[in-house]
Amino acid sequence: MKVFKFGGASINSIERIENVAAIIQSFSGQKLLIIISAMGKTTNALEKVAEAFFAGNKETALQLFHEIKKEHLTILAQLNPAATNILNDLFTEVEWLLHDKPVRQYDYYYDQIVCCGELLSTAIVSNYLNSIDIKNNWIDVRDIVRTDDNFREAVVDWNFTQQKIQEDIVPVFTATSIILTQGFIGATDENESTTLGREGSDYTAAIFANMLDAESQTIWKDVEGVMNADPKLFADAQFIAALSYTEVIEMAYYGAQVIHPKTIKPLQNKSIPLHVRCFLNPASPGTIISNLPVHHLPPVIVLKTNQVLMQFNSKDFSFVEDMLVNKLHQLFVEIKIRPNLSQNGAIRLYCCLDNWPEKIEKLALAASELFDVQVEKDVVLLTIRHYTEAIVAELTVNKTELLSQKTKETLQILLKNN
Ligand code: ASP
Ligand code: MG
């Protein structure tokens, strides 16, 4: 059994959906559990619906949702002119909610609305595949993946989900070769929809791979495989044919947009290899990520833009002791923000964080009870694994270094443009 995950870009047009079908067809006879993201930029569009709804702009929310609906219906009709009202229940689920008034927290509504992107895309692709005789079963993953109610960053109940997979997924594979389902979403024990964090489909795929003891997982993307830097930012980015789990978990941790950071653990724990392949060039083997150590990697570069540097200074020249540090960490947990880098000194702490304006403001305000707080915006966090002097010089030219940290393998520098 193999687990496949196709990202949103792989199904953003009729031709691309046909291409995905051809890839699936080329594995005929094999058991596949396939996870497909929301089409194209649907998740972003649904976020706008949730924002409008929560701001009390019901008409705007309904109008924006209507656009999404139209796009999906058009694609469905083009792929399978004989298709009936297979999307109606999914639309109604959201529209019914949009007619309400928001009385709960934003994150709850976000999840109830945003989750429909993957439900719609998978329903359409499943219907199309069946219509061209690639028989498959569509499953609503919310019946399988149980989570807590930490909306937008829900935590998976591992035991319950494992049991559901045994009861409801394994038997389906005796009758069918292909199961098509969603990533990124789940549900609570009260049947509320949840999401696992943006780009969470890779992670869901890894959960299935782990629990089904898959022989491999493949993430189909629009790039050749994993590169040593974001090719959109670095024209000379290099393709890497093989990586270890350790390297990839480090890359993801530092913010490389390759694979969702939680994806590696479920695979590593069962030594399941992860392939990153290109849906535009299925003949190419892509990158393989496994237990095998890989030597002589090129410098791996991760650039995190839109960062803020916060300085927490002791108010009265007393040392910043453990108790104060702990209190600050409690604030991070409460506000749900995590520093990307921190450095402690005698009378001050530095933290570099993603610039989420509301969270930063909240944090600055709460922390000002304990410290004199300074905030510097528009900084960039550069991480280089396997750094060399030459690459550091090249990437820091004409920039001011605000602070840096290094181990034998990893260098992190906080930079500001001159
Ligand atoms: N559709 C979701 C997103 O765009 C989840 C995913 O694609 O992994 O974040
Ligand atoms: Mg995606």
Side-chain angles (χ1 to χ4, degrees), residues 5-8 37-38 40 43-44 114 118 183-184 197-202:
K5 181 258 174 170
F6 289 96
S37 290
T43 304
N44 295 354
V114 165
E118 341 285 297
F184 170 61
R198 288 299 306 262
E199 303 299 330
S201 293
D202 296 351

Side-chain angles (χ1 to χ4, degrees), residues 241-270:
L243 284 163
S244 65
Y245 295 125
T246 314
E247 188 60 40
V248 175
I249 212 164
E250 295 281 348
M251 287 168 74
Y253 173 81
Y254 290 116
Q257 304 278 313
V258 265
I259 289 157
H260 188 281
K262 287 187 184 162
T263 309
I264 297 300
K265 177 179 166 9
L267 300 175
Q268 187 279 343
N269 288 175
K270 289 210 170 159

Side-chain angles (χ1 to χ4, degrees), residues 72-138:
H72 285 82
L73 286 171
T74 306
I75 293 200
L76 175 65
Q78 278 175 293
L79 285 168
N80 178 13
T84 48
N85 305 327
I86 60 160
L87 305 178
N88 276 10
D89 288 350
L90 300 172
F91 291 143
T92 310
E93 213 181 291
V94 175
E95 280 169 332
W96 185 74
L97 177 137
L98 293 181
H99 280 95
D100 265 357
K101 273 211 167 61
V103 288
R104 297 180 60 171
Q105 48 155 334
Y106 174 68
D107 291 352
Y108 164 78
Y109 292 108
Y110 177 102
D111 283 2
Q112 310 318 301
I113 294 167
V114 165
C115 72
C116 93
E118 341 285 297
L119 292 160
L120 293 170
S121 66
T122 52
I124 291 172
V125 175
S126 168
N127 176 278
Y128 167 63
L129 293 177
N130 277 321
S131 79
I132 57 167
D133 230 30
I134 303 179
K135 294 296 172 213
N136 70 92
N137 281 39
W138 179 87

Side-chain angles (χ1 to χ4, degrees), residues 45-278:
L46 286 165
E47 285 183 338
K48 295 274 176 289
V49 175
E51 281 161 24
F53 166 76
F54 196 70
N57 304 326
K58 177 172 139 186
E59 289 314 316
T60 313
L62 284 165
Q63 179 53 38
L64 290 170
F65 189 66
H66 183 71
E67 293 300 320
I68 295 169
K69 218 170 130 170
K70 254 187 3 204
E71 281 169 33
H72 285 82
L73 286 171
T74 306
I75 293 200
L76 175 65
Q78 278 175 293
L79 285 168
N80 178 13
T84 48
N85 305 327
I86 60 160
L87 305 178
N88 276 10
D89 288 350
L90 300 172
F91 291 143
T92 310
E93 213 181 291
V94 175
E95 280 169 332
W96 185 74
L97 177 137
L98 293 181
H99 280 95
D100 265 357
K101 273 211 167 61
V103 288
R104 297 180 60 171
Q105 48 155 334
Y106 174 68
D107 291 352
Y108 164 78
Y109 292 108
Y110 177 102
D111 283 2
Q112 310 318 301
I113 294 167
V114 165
C115 72
C116 93
E118 341 285 297
L119 292 160
L120 293 170
S121 66
T122 52
I124 291 172
V125 175
S126 168
N127 176 278
Y128 167 63
L129 293 177
N130 277 321
S131 79
I132 57 167
D133 230 30
I134 303 179
K135 294 296 172 213
N136 70 92
N137 281 39
W138 179 87
I139 285 180
D140 185 335
V141 86
R142 295 175 300 178
D143 296 329
I144 309 292
V145 173
R146 165 71 57 85
T147 71
D148 67 6
D149 62 359
N150 188 13
F151 297 105
R152 289 185 74 180
E153 231 169 306
V155 176
V156 173
D157 177 337
W158 207 259
N159 292 333
F160 185 91
T161 303
Q162 172 82 76
Q163 197 187 326
K164 277 301 231 185
I165 285 183
Q166 281 313 319
E167 287 169 8
D168 295 354
I169 298 284
V170 172
V172 179
F173 268 129
T174 56
T176 186
S177 296
I178 302 175
I179 293 178
L180 214 110
T181 192
Q182 308 79 38
F184 170 61
I185 67 176
T188 66
D189 56 358
E190 289 176 30
N191 267 326
E192 299 158 319
S193 301
T194 53
T195 65
L196 310 179
R198 288 299 306 262
E199 303 299 330
S201 293
D202 296 351
Y203 175 46
T204 307
I207 294 172
F208 275 101
N210 175 298
M211 294 185 179
L212 287 164
D213 289 307
E215 59 178 275
S216 66
Q217 173 173 331
T218 304
I219 298 181
W220 296 90
K221 295 170 80 88
D222 55 2
V223 288
E224 281 307 305
V226 180
M227 317 281 281
N228 75 323
D230 182 347
K232 286 183 208 111
L233 303 175
F234 297 90
D236 53 357
Q238 280 169 258
F239 165 76
I240 306 176
L243 284 163
S244 65
Y245 295 125
T246 314
E247 188 60 40
V248 175
I249 212 164
E250 295 281 348
M251 287 168 74
Y253 173 81
Y254 290 116
Q257 304 278 313
V258 265
I259 289 157
H260 188 281
K262 287 187 184 162
T263 309
I264 297 300
K265 177 179 166 9
L267 300 175
Q268 187 279 343
N269 288 175
K270 289 210 170 159
S271 297
I272 299 167
L274 172 62
H275 300 271
V276 180
R277 297 180 60 178
C278 183

Side-chain angles (χ1 to χ4, degrees), residues 13-65:
S13 67
I14 301 291
E15 298 71 44
R16 288 210 170 166
I17 296 174
E18 287 166 352
N19 172 60
V20 164
I23 292 176
I24 295 171
Q25 181 81 74
S26 72
F27 287 86
S28 88
Q30 303 195 38
K31 296 215 180 298
L32 302 176
L33 183 123
I34 303 173
I35 286 182
I36 304 185
S37 290
M39 275 176 195
K41 300 271 173 249
T42 306
T43 304
N44 295 354
L46 286 165
E47 285 183 338
K48 295 274 176 289
V49 175
E51 281 161 24
F53 166 76
F54 196 70
N57 304 326
K58 177 172 139 186
E59 289 314 316
T60 313
L62 284 165
Q63 179 53 38
L64 290 170
F65 189 66

